[in-house]
Amino acid sequence: MSDPLKRVAIVGSGNWGSTIAKIIGNNIVKFNTFENEVRMYVYEEMVDGRKLTEIINEEHENTKYLPGHKFTPNIVAYADVVETIKDADILLFILPHQFVERTCNAIKSHVKPGAFSVSFSKGFYVGKDSSVELLSTAIARLLGIPCYVVMGANIASEVASGTFCEATVGARNYEHGQMVKGLLQTEEFRIVIKPDTEVIEVLGALKNIVAVAAGFSDGLGYGDNTKAAVIRLGLKEMVKFCEEFFPGHHPHIFLESCGVADLVTTCYGGRNRKVAAAFVKTGKDIKTLEAEMLNGQKLQGPDAAAEVKEWLKEKGQANKFPLFTAVHDICERRIEPTALIDALRYHPEF
């Protein structure tokens, strides 16, 4: 007798969560290799006088976070996160990282034995005692199940539109990695599996900090030469951070989609760059701009910069990463945006 089909649940339904739901829904219908129904946890809110879950289940579209893109009918929205993950074998976490702990605590006693999770979230987790750990580590610890990661050069709207792109799955378990690839890969969305889970995740968080620096550079009116320096020196700090705190990875990992490709696309597109440029031009604070510009989405770069500052402080290494440190201090208005150029000019690299 063949094994029962695995059930998939998606925890999160923003721009990226909805994009992944669109891909997975299509793949499951096409290949029939997983349980047909995919439950998606939706933070309930009213959109034009209607509940968002009702809109998704009746119109098969997330009109707030991914308008213009239809889901297959097997994507079913739930407002109750416990109900969403009940009986699921694979839990996909696609939440702003600020909500991960609360969500894990709500579901931890309801997770199916033998399940595994995958984090698409980019950031670090800071505990109440100011200790810092990777989100995948926090999810695995809180739920008591393995957690893998998916990172890459992926601006959600472009992935949803079917323009060619790629992503990196970080998994040391071959069978689980292949399952994730089977869920996600399409002709236009190509997946590479690598075992360097921690570094793949770290790169996803750190590149958002560099993208904020790129946005500051744009907002200050500097050109492509300066932005290229931001990207290069930012990449140097990303590599140094990984070598310092996560040794043992394969050096080629930086050439994967989760590395240099993700960094470049985020420094030229993406919300971190856009909001950081507006921060310089308008003088408004980050939270105000987030509310005005992102239609309910969350910004990851400034939080990641604060988390990394905490991490470096804990390890006594803050002065070795001047670009990361400058981004945090500018976001907190401790220094002027122009100080970013000093961080580049007097970088230890020179």
Side-chain angles (χ1 to χ4, degrees):
M1 200 173 118
S2 61
D3 290 337
L5 296 176
K6 302 282 188 194
R7 179 179 284 282
V8 181
I10 301 173
V11 182
S13 57
N15 193 227
W16 191 215
S18 296
T19 296
I20 293 299
K22 182 185 176 186
I23 291 170
I24 286 175
N26 273 316
N27 275 350
I28 285 177
V29 168
K30 199 194 293 184
F31 301 120
N32 196 29
T33 45
F34 293 88
E35 189 72 49
N36 185 59
E37 185 193 64
V38 178
R39 294 177 181 176
M40 177 169 71
Y41 169 60
V42 175
Y43 177 76
E44 192 70 279
E45 53 189 308
M46 301 302 285
V47 178
D48 299 327
R50 295 171 66 195
K51 289 180 176 176
L52 186 52
T53 50
E54 281 175 15
I55 295 171
I56 292 170
N57 290 334
E58 289 166 15
E59 297 175 24
H60 308 300
E61 181 181 345
N62 188 334
T63 54
K64 177 162 185 182
Y65 295 109
L66 197 68
H69 294 276
K70 292 289 183 187
F71 298 131
T72 44
N74 58 332
I75 299 294
V76 183
Y78 281 75
D80 181 339
V81 70
V82 171
E83 205 54 40
T84 305
I85 63 97
K86 199 172 68 180
D87 302 327
D89 301 283
I90 304 172
L91 277 57
L92 307 181
F93 280 86
I94 319 178
L95 290 168
H97 68 290
Q98 301 91 322
F99 304 128
V100 167
E101 181 185 25
R102 190 169 72 205
T103 306
C104 285
N105 284 333
I107 65 174
K108 63 186 175 189
S109 56
H110 303 275
V111 173
K112 182 178 179 178
F116 69 86
S117 55
V118 185
S119 173
F120 293 69
S121 304
K122 297 178 175 179
F124 296 91
Y125 166 76
V126 181
K128 291 181 176 62
D129 59 353
S130 294
S131 62
V132 186
E133 65 184 330
L134 300 181
L135 273 176
S136 63
T137 309
I139 292 168
R141 177 174 57 75
L142 290 164
L143 299 184
I145 59 175
C147 185
Y148 311 109
V149 299
V150 175
M151 303 284 153
N154 308 134
I155 290 172
S157 56
E158 293 182 22
V159 180
S161 298
T163 56
F164 181 83
C165 60
E166 51 181 359
T168 313
V169 169
R172 289 192 185 91
N173 181 308
Y174 177 82
E175 188 190 348
H176 289 171
Q178 289 296 331
M179 276 189 220
V180 177
K181 182 172 182 171
L183 274 174
L184 295 176
Q185 180 155 280
T186 70
E187 287 296 306
E188 305 305 332
F189 189 43
R190 307 308 282 173
I191 303 296
V192 174
I193 306 168
K194 294 289 177 183
D196 307 279
T197 309
E198 295 82 7
V199 166
I200 289 167
E201 182 175 5
V202 167
L203 292 173
L206 297 181
K207 58 94 194 182
N208 282 330
I209 305 175
V210 184
V212 172
F216 291 156
S217 178
D218 286 350
L220 290 164
Y222 290 105
D224 286 336
N225 291 355
T226 307
K227 183 136 74 169
V230 168
I231 291 170
R232 186 185 82 83
L233 292 167
L235 181 60
K236 289 286 260 193
E237 292 197 11
M238 289 164 67
V239 171
K240 186 180 175 66
F241 190 96
C242 292
E243 287 173 346
E244 193 82 38
F245 305 116
F246 298 93
H249 57 271
H250 197 289
H252 285 171
I253 197 65
F254 303 110
L255 301 178
E256 296 295 334
S257 182
C258 60
V260 71
D262 196 6
L263 175 62
V264 169
T265 196
T266 314
C267 287
Y268 278 91
R271 63 187 88 149
N272 290 286
R273 187 214 62 81
K274 188 169 76 172
V275 172
F279 174 86
V280 175
K281 287 178 179 169
T282 65
K284 294 177 180 177
D285 66 81
I286 295 283
K287 286 283 173 241
T288 303
L289 291 167
E290 186 180 65
E292 288 178 2
M293 297 173 70
L294 297 185
N295 186 35
Q297 294 178 75
K298 293 292 177 192
L299 206 58
Q300 304 295 324
D303 280 352
E307 290 148 11
V308 164
K309 183 81 181 278
E310 202 65 56
W311 178 296
L312 294 172
K313 206 166 72 185
E314 201 182 285
K315 314 280 187 196
Q317 303 261 28
N319 59 342
K320 289 187 183 174
F321 296 86
L323 187 143
F324 293 166
T325 304
V327 167
H328 175 62
D329 288 343
I330 292 166
C331 288
E332 294 293 312
R333 295 198 188 281
R334 292 201 194 102
I335 56 176
E336 289 298 314
T338 48
L340 174 72
I341 306 305
D342 284 337
L344 305 178
R345 187 181 285 123
Y346 303 114
H347 200 277
E349 168 74 1
F350 305 114

